[in-house]
Amino acid sequence: MSSDHDVVVPVALAGRAYDILIGEGLIARAGAIVAERIGTRRAAIVTDANVGPLYLETLARSLAEAGIEAVPVTVAPGEGSKSFAVLQDVVDALLAARLERGDIVVALGGGVVGDLAGFAAGIVRRGMRFVQVPTSLLAQVDSSVGGKTGINTRHGKNLVGVFHQPALVLSDTAALDSLPRREFAAGYAEVVKYGLIDRPDFFDWLERHRDEIFAGGEARLSAVAESCRCKAAVVERDEFETGDRALLNLGHTFGHALEAATGYDPARLVHGEAVAIGLVMAHRFSARMNLASHDDAGRVEAHLRAAGLPVSPAAIPGLPGADGLMEFIAQDKKVSRGALTFILTRGIGRAFVARDVPGSAVRSFLEESSAP
Ligand SMILES: NC(=O)c1ccc[n+]([C@@H]2O[C@H](COP(=O)([O-])OP(=O)(O)OC[C@H]3O[C@@H](n4cnc5c(N)ncnc54)[C@H](O)[C@@H]3O)[C@@H](O)[C@H]2O)c1
Ligand SMILES: [Zn+2]
């Protein structure tokens, strides 16, 4: 049963509309909700070896009580599981379980499990129905919303995949209690991003409620729900990223360069930490281009720092200098005639897509940022 306290965020995509339910204890209540909304008798639950021991039994029992038999498929935790090899294992397991097209694949875990299981669901039998049960903050506010799925290749991250919208998303905010604090903070950078894109009122609210959000309860639930509304609104405008969806990359151009420069080593930097630094850099760079004020950049920096996130490239030991970072930026982007597309801002909540940012301006900004 869904409870009165669950928040429902509809994602209105023509022909593929679905709901995101956000609430405490949803994993233990998932069976009745899935039975009522999806109506199937068989499922696979894809999870990883960190999340499985914590929540798999609760989820499987809840499904069983609703008459849904579930086959577990457990992969190793971490980005390494977004590979062709692990995709093949998952696809094999779904076929070995003799799941039919109308049966469901449930992704129980963080963004890695969601992207991998979603991709498998998208290609097995030309597309199986798929339910997201995200358990990391990043997955609840970002990767489970919008239907992008996929894996990494040696040519780069997320280069192979499909758009495959879930039939339902169940975000249990109490499951975040077991998430390591560092991972929680990393997901929080994406929450802050939504305020900075076009919701200055949300950013104000985050400034007042940050500690409560980290603690859990009502404020956390509200932050997750509002983030889902923000992302859903962007995805509804531009499902296949031909325009506005690019705004979701605020902070990500600098962020991706920092991740690449640290060899995607999570011991040095996780994605959300790179985004935190990238958000501050995007605001500082916009100020330097006389688009926004340094006061706004200072506000963003203070907020992220207080959340325990790194806010400057200087926080990462052993980074390459401006030239090295420039190369990673060029790899991440199509550089056309020395100009780059960046998400810049006119102030808090006023981000926009800037299509011809001179590479030379970025380079001198990086030189200043990496100077001691
Ligand atoms: N599809 C999209 O639109 C989209 C958007 C953003 C990011 N992503 C992808 O998401 C991935 C990152 O997601 P992530 O940060 O969730 O990483 P993740 O899935 O690796 O999870 C982070 C860590 O937390 C653990 N974990 C997850 N939930 C937990 C819980 N409740 N308790 C204890 N431990 C828990 C995981 O086992 C893992 O070790 C990347 O691969 C990224 O490319 C996809
Ligand atoms: Zn991100």
Side-chain angles (χ1 to χ4, degrees):
M1 283 294 149
S2 54
S3 101
D4 290 347
H5 295 289
D6 296 339
V7 174
V8 181
V9 176
V11 183
L13 295 169
R16 291 177 304 286
Y18 59 95
D19 283 338
I20 303 168
L21 268 58
I22 303 141
E24 296 199 342
L26 268 175
I27 291 177
R29 296 185 277 121
I33 300 171
V34 171
E36 185 191 315
R37 289 175 169 253
I38 316 273
T40 180
R41 308 209 56 91
R42 305 198 62 223
I45 303 173
V46 182
T47 189
D48 76 22
N50 289 336
V51 177
L54 297 170
Y55 304 110
L56 180 61
E57 205 187 308
T58 307
L59 179 60
R61 192 187 313 126
S62 173
L63 290 171
E65 281 165 9
I68 303 166
E69 178 206 348
V71 181
V73 181
T74 302
V75 303
E79 197 63 32
S81 282
K82 280 175 57 173
S83 67
F84 277 111
V86 179
L87 176 71
Q88 182 168 356
D89 291 344
V90 173
V91 166
D92 274 345
L94 299 180
L95 294 172
R98 299 190 187 284
L99 292 181
E100 304 289 335
R101 221 166 153 245
D103 296 332
I104 56 168
V105 177
V106 182
L108 171 69
V112 165
V113 164
D115 281 10
L116 173 71
F119 187 23
I123 58 176
V124 167
R125 299 188 188 280
R126 297 195 178 78
M128 295 180 60
R129 292 187 300 171
F130 157 54
V131 173
Q132 291 263 25
V133 184
T135 62
S136 71
L137 181 59
L138 184 134
Q140 294 191 355
V141 301
D142 190 351
S143 60
S144 70
V145 187
K148 281 190 185 177
T149 73
I151 58 171
N152 307 321
T153 80
R154 81 178 109 96
H155 297 284
K157 287 191 55 168
N158 299 321
L159 289 179
V160 174
V162 293
F163 283 95
H164 187 52
Q165 299 291 347
L168 178 67
V169 181
L170 300 176
S171 282
D172 185 341
T173 50
L176 302 179
D177 287 343
S178 57
L179 193 67
R181 193 190 185 284
R182 187 177 172 207
E183 293 289 349
F184 192 93
Y188 186 71
E190 305 280 5
V191 174
V192 172
K193 180 187 77 176
Y194 296 119
L196 297 176
I197 290 173
D198 60 359
R199 289 290 308 279
D201 57 319
F202 185 42
F203 183 77
D204 291 348
W205 183 84
L206 293 172
E207 283 186 319
R208 284 179 274 119
H209 297 280
R210 191 197 56 245
D211 289 345
E212 294 155 66
I213 295 166
F214 275 69
E218 245 353 271
R220 176 190 288 171
L221 202 154
S222 301
V224 171
E226 201 56 37
S227 299
C228 290
R229 283 187 203 104
C230 291
K231 182 159 181 185
V234 176
V235 171
E236 284 164 5
R237 287 204 298 271
D238 178 19
E239 183 179 2
F240 299 110
E241 193 160 347
T242 51
D244 254 16
R245 190 163 177 166
L247 288 173
L248 296 171
N249 286 329
L250 179 63
H252 281 62
T253 300
F254 290 121
H256 285 151
L258 298 171
E259 282 186 281
T262 49
Y264 299 97
D265 176 1
R268 292 178 75 192
L269 193 68
V270 297
H271 174 74
E273 293 170 340
V275 170
I277 300 173
L279 288 172
V280 175
M281 291 176 82
H283 282 74
R284 290 272 175 227
F285 182 54
S286 299
R288 193 180 185 281
M289 304 280 281
N290 295 318
L291 292 161
S293 75
H294 275 291
D295 284 355
D296 278 351
R299 237 176 109 187
V300 174
E301 180 173 329
H303 184 69
L304 292 167
R305 179 184 288 122
L309 284 157
V311 291
S312 152
I316 315 164
L319 268 193
D323 285 330
L325 289 177
M326 240 359 244
E327 265 176 49
F328 286 114
I329 287 179
Q331 275 171 28
D332 189 50
K333 309 229 128 204
K334 288 182 272 187
V335 187
S336 62
R337 283 181 245 98
L340 296 157
T341 298
F342 256 81
I343 314 303
L344 297 180
T345 186
R346 300 194 170 85
I348 284 167
R350 300 177 62 200
F352 65 100
V353 184
R355 299 214 182 270
D356 36 34
V357 176
S360 55
V362 179
R363 201 194 162 284
S364 41
F365 171 72
L366 287 173
E367 207 139 72
E368 288 162 24
S369 320
S370 41

